[in-house]
Amino acid sequence: MVFLITAVVLILLAAVAFFIIQNQGKAMAAAKVDVNYTNENGTFLARGKLDDFVIQKNDRFAFLVRDGVIVACKDNQKHQDFVFYTEVEK
């Protein structure tokens, strides 16, 4: 009987821990990025979600950032769409 109660309590604790971890990931994904920065190199604007945002430099260049990595760029004077980087095989 004690074994059964212990097993039920452990399963409930595991389920609660699983839901807490899942909800923390959703909160991180929903976090917004809205940063303006100016220095001698220009004006930088970063807008979007924490895991997927765009950095713009002087309203000309835009860099797409996904999961903390710049994955594409765009020259607003020449292109309408982002040009994605590809991996270079060594």
Side-chain angles (χ1 to χ4, degrees):
M1 185 67 167
V2 172
F3 176 74
L4 182 63
I5 293 171
T6 304
V8 169
V9 169
L10 288 176
I11 291 172
L12 286 174
L13 287 175
V16 169
F18 176 75
F19 287 117
I20 288 172
I21 292 170
Q22 265 191 330
N23 288 335
Q24 285 178 344
K26 289 178 185 176
M28 289 293 292
K32 301 286 183 192
V33 173
D34 188 12
V35 178
N36 297 333
Y37 179 74
T38 302
N39 66 11
E40 64 273 359
N41 294 320
T43 301
F44 299 87
L45 304 171
R47 290 202 166 84
K49 293 185 244 174
L50 189 59
D51 60 347
D52 188 15
F53 62 93
V54 176
I55 300 172
Q56 291 198 15
K57 180 183 186 242
N58 296 334
D59 293 326
R60 178 169 179 188
F61 297 104
F63 302 93
L64 179 61
V65 179
R66 289 190 178 149
D67 298 322
V69 178
I70 298 174
V71 296
C73 67
K74 174 172 63 168
D75 184 344
N76 291 328
Q77 293 179 352
K78 297 180 181 180
H79 303 288
Q80 294 292 322
D81 297 324
F82 280 100
V83 176
F84 284 84
Y85 300 126
T86 57
E87 283 191 32
V88 177
E89 295 185 25
K90 294 181 182 180

